[in-house]
Amino acid sequence: MQRVDVNSRNISHLLYQHFLLTVVLKTGERFIYKLLEASTFKDFVNSKDRDKFYRSHIEANKKFKRIQLFG
């Protein structure tokens, strides 16, 4: 599993393994996304504004299955 600390207003860090992207928000909320393409993770990490990329390319993308984790 790859952990990436993110310098972002809303996102604390990311975990990525085998097309599963876990986004941990600074509020403590955790979401798992089942990605269709591995390049989405690379594009996210390399984007200049990760908050905007998350909202527009991951959170809003209905093709990615989103699961909220509690605990």
Side-chain angles (χ1 to χ4, degrees), residues 4-6 10 17 19 23 28 33 35-36 42-43 46 48 50-51 56-57 62-63 66-67 70-71:
V4 178
D5 290 316
V6 178
N10 300 319
Q17 182 177 18
F19 297 101
V23 177
Y33 292 90
L35 304 178
L36 300 175
K42 184 180 74 172
D43 293 343
N46 293 330
K48 291 182 182 180
R50 292 185 181 120
D51 289 314
S56 64
H57 290 85
K62 302 299 180 199
K63 292 188 271 183
R66 173 178 153 158
I67 301 166
F70 298 97

Side-chain angles (χ1 to χ4, degrees), residues 26-55:
K26 290 189 177 176
T27 60
E29 292 177 290
R30 295 171 180 255
F31 297 98
I32 291 180
Y33 292 90
K34 182 176 179 187
L35 304 178
L36 300 175
E37 302 173 355
S39 63
T40 303
F41 176 72
K42 184 180 74 172
D43 293 343
F44 178 73
V45 170
N46 293 330
S47 72
K48 291 182 182 180
D49 188 347
R50 292 185 181 120
D51 289 314
K52 183 177 179 182
F53 188 94
Y54 172 67
R55 284 191 308 271

Side-chain angles (χ1 to χ4, degrees), residues 1-3 15-22 33 35 41:
M1 185 173 293
Q2 183 178 1
R3 178 188 166 121
L15 302 168
Y16 179 74
Q17 182 177 18
H18 303 293
F19 297 101
L20 293 176
L21 174 68
T22 304
Y33 292 90
L35 304 178
F41 176 72

